[in-house]
Amino acid sequence: MCYNEGMRFIPYGRQAIDEEDIRSVVEVLRSDRLTQGPKAAEFEEALAAYCGARHAVVFSSGTAALHGAYFAAGLQPGSEVITSPITFAATANAALYLNARPVFADIDPETANIDAAQIESLITTRTRAVVPVHFAGQPCDMDEIREIARRRGLYVIEDACHALGAAYKGRRVGGLSGTTVFSFHPVKHITTGEGGAVLTDDTGFARRLLMFREHGITRDPAHLLGRAPGSDPEPWYCEMQHLGHNYRLSDLQCALGISQLKKLDGFLKRRREIARTYDQAFSALAPAIRPLAPKPDRESAYHIYVVRIDWKAIGRTRHEVCTWLRQHGIGTQVHYIPVYRHPYYQRLGYPPGLCPRAEAYYEAALTLPLFPAITDEEVQRVIKAAGRLTTGPR
C-alpha cells in the first residue's frame, strides 16, 4: 500500500454537507431573523419527534446542553454525579461548572460503557444523578441503570453525544429515560457546526432548560414571580429568575440541523455498513486487533469505530502506529484519556489508577476512520493498513 498526493487523506471523522444543507442556511441568511427566529422551535420539534420525546431544547454546544441538564436537575455545590471516565471531559466538567463533583465508575471492558454493577456502591447522600455515556454510539445497560436510579431517587441524564439514532431494546435513544443530551459537532451524526440539545418528557425540566439557555430570563405569564397569576403583563415585561447563560443556537445553525436530520437515517445506514465491513475484516486479526463488542439487544449509532490493539503482539507502540498510519494518509484518534488523569482533575485530588479497567482500555484503544462520506475504497485502505501492522513490514 502506498500513499501519494493523489489520494485523499482519510480523517477519523468529518461532516457530510450537501447542496440542500447549503440552501437551507442561505435561506435564513436572506431572511429577517438570523437568531431567535422560528428555526430553533422547528428543529426542536423535529428532534423530539424523531427520538420519541415530549420536549427538546437546543443549545449552542453539547457542553452547554450538559450544563443546562445538570442545572435543571438541581445540582448544587457539593452535589455528586456518577459517570464514566471514558468520555470527553465535558461530561464531568459541566458538573464542576455548578460546583458539583463528578464521581467515576469503572467500565465494562468489552463495550467501554459504564459498568452498571459499579454504580450502587458509589451512591452517597450527596448523589443527585447518574450520567451514563453511550460510548461510540452503543447504548449502556439502561434497564439496570434506571432501576438503580428509581430505587435511590436519582436523575438519569444520558450523555448520548455519540448516540443519536441508536436504539435500545427497540426504542430510540432520546426517548428512553427522563433526560438525554446530544451533540451536533461536525464529527457527530448530524451537525449544526457547533450545537447540542437536551430531550426530556418533563415539562418543568424543559422550562428550566429554556430559562437557563436564555440568561435565566422568562417571559411566560404563567411563571412570572413579579406579576399576579393570571394577569396580563406588559408586552415588554420579563424576569431574570436564575443566573443563566446565553446558550442559544442561531437560526442559521438550526436550519442546517433541520436539513441534516432529514438525512440521519441514511447516515446511520452507511455508518453501520462500514462497521460491519470492519468487523468482518478485523475478526481475522484477533486477538492482536479487537473491536469493541456489540450487545444483541441494542443497535449502535457508530459515532466512532474503536479497536483495542495488543501493542506488544504487533511489536509497535501506539505512537509509532499513529505516525505510520498518518504517513500513509489515514487519520486516527484516541477516545479517551480517562477524565481523572487530566492534570486539572489530578489537582482536584482524583488519584491516578482510579478505574483499572478504564486504564487498561485506554492503553489499548485506537479510533479508526468512520464517517458517511468515506468510500469503500478508503475503507479497504484502512483495513489493508491494519493488516500490515500485524503481518508484515511497514
Side-chain angles (χ1 to χ4, degrees), residues 1 273-294 302 304-310 314 321 324-325 330-332 366-370 374 378-391:
M1 185 189 71
E273 287 173 352
I274 297 162
R276 284 195 296 270
T277 301
Y278 279 154
D279 283 348
Q280 184 175 4
F282 295 143
S283 66
L285 302 179
I289 298 179
R290 296 183 302 130
L292 295 175
Y302 286 105
I304 51 177
Y305 191 88
V306 176
V307 292
R308 293 158 294 167
I309 300 179
D310 185 336
I314 69 170
V321 167
W324 181 78
L325 288 171
I330 298 169
T332 58
L366 189 67
T367 300
L368 300 178
L370 190 155
I374 191 173
E378 290 167 338
V379 170
Q380 291 303 317
R381 277 176 55 197
V382 175
I383 290 169
K384 289 176 182 177
R388 288 188 64 187
L389 290 171
T390 61
T391 60

Side-chain angles (χ1 to χ4, degrees), residues 62-63 66 70 81-94 102-105 107 111-114 131-136 140 157-162 181 183 188 303-304 334-342 345 358 361-362:
T63 304
L66 283 161
Y70 293 171
V81 297
I82 298 171
T83 192
S84 168
I86 300 301
T87 183
F88 185 59
T91 310
N93 291 351
V103 175
F104 297 106
I107 62 167
T111 64
N113 277 334
I114 192 171
V131 185
V133 179
H134 301 318
F135 181 73
C140 297
I157 300 173
E158 298 172 57
D159 182 337
C161 292
H162 288 194
V181 177
S183 168
K188 298 302 198 304
H303 162 52
I304 51 177
V334 176
H335 295 88
Y336 294 94
I337 299 169
V339 174
Y340 58 77
R341 285 181 57 161
H342 288 291
Y345 280 82
Y361 160 82
Y362 164 61

Side-chain angles (χ1 to χ4, degrees), residues 63-81 90-102 128-129 157 205 209 212 242-245 247 344-345:
T63 304
L66 283 161
H67 191 188
Y70 293 171
F71 169 84
L75 264 66
Q76 302 287 334
S79 297
E80 295 178 348
V81 297
T91 310
N93 291 351
L96 297 180
Y97 300 157
L98 294 163
N99 294 310
R101 180 177 181 269
R128 183 70 177 175
I157 300 173
F205 198 97
L209 290 168
F212 188 73
H242 303 282
L243 184 60
H245 295 259
Y247 278 162
Y344 184 84
Y345 280 82

Side-chain angles (χ1 to χ4, degrees), residues 25 32 127 157 202 250 252 259 271 279 342 355 358 364 370 387:
V25 175
D32 293 333
T127 307
I157 300 173
D202 185 325
S250 73
L252 294 169
S259 180
R271 286 178 177 274
D279 283 348
H342 288 291
C355 298
L370 190 155

